[in-house]
Amino acid sequence: MAVKEKEAERLKKIQFVCDRCGAVLEKTAIKIIPNVVELEGEDILHPVDEATHGMHFCAACTDALLKFLLPENKPPPKPKEKPARRRRLDAGRVMALHNAGWSNEDIAADIRAEPEQVRQCIYYQKYKKKSPSVTDGEEQT
């Protein structure tokens, strides 16, 4: 038994594998070790994370990582699109169709608006008149 164990130890092969794509690295590997650097003298003060010291990368993965990390290679941010301005609804027409029994979706399709806009318009038209208003000469309690 001891002979087989010695033979097995002798036949062990150490392989390095790319930690990003999983490719077996044959002759060379690349290590990326992030460090804290003093800006004035560019002296390395200490590594950021000890866990990254054991990582190996192939050349293709290193190129991909550098393209991702370097700001000059990043695509410019897309300009934010302004939301389309909501057009005002004809509240009289919305309420007339609503009172005639039309659904919000049908009203929205008829006046080319969103059903949510129609719902908000109906809600506002129904409940704006029910709020108490103060007329001239009355005191509010």
Side-chain angles (χ1 to χ4, degrees):
M1 199 81 146
V3 175
K4 287 184 180 181
E5 288 176 7
K6 286 182 182 178
E7 180 123 357
E9 284 184 26
R10 188 174 64 84
L11 295 176
K12 283 185 182 178
K13 183 178 179 183
I14 297 174
Q15 285 187 330
F16 290 97
V17 177
C18 177
D19 286 309
R20 184 168 182 262
C21 70
V24 176
L25 304 170
E26 296 295 330
K27 295 181 181 179
T28 60
I30 300 170
K31 284 188 172 186
I32 299 174
I33 304 172
N35 292 295
V36 176
V37 178
E38 184 180 341
L39 290 178
E40 290 178 6
E42 294 191 10
D43 294 328
I44 295 176
L45 300 177
H46 59 82
V48 172
D49 185 9
E50 294 290 331
T52 59
H53 285 281
M55 297 181 79
H56 299 86
F57 301 99
C58 64
C61 288
T62 303
D63 288 341
L65 289 168
L66 290 175
K67 284 180 183 177
F68 175 76
L69 293 173
L70 296 176
E72 62 268 6
N73 292 330
K74 289 186 180 178
K78 294 180 182 176
K80 294 182 180 177
E81 293 181 14
K82 292 181 180 178
R85 189 167 183 221
R86 294 173 76 168
R87 55 190 222 14
R88 295 183 66 131
L89 302 181
D90 181 0
R93 181 179 172 123
V94 170
M95 290 308 294
L97 295 173
H98 175 72
N99 292 334
W102 287 39
S103 70
N104 290 356
E105 289 77 17
D106 293 339
I107 297 171
D110 186 63
I111 63 172
R112 294 188 304 268
E114 294 294 320
E116 180 64 18
Q117 283 180 285
V118 172
R119 186 197 64 75
Q120 289 174 349
C121 180
I122 293 168
Y123 180 86
Y124 177 75
Q125 293 300 319
K126 279 184 176 179
Y127 296 106
K128 74 174 185 174
K129 296 175 184 171
K130 292 187 178 181
S131 63
S133 59
V134 178
T135 59
D136 291 336
E138 284 186 14
E139 289 185 24
Q140 189 174 11
T141 56

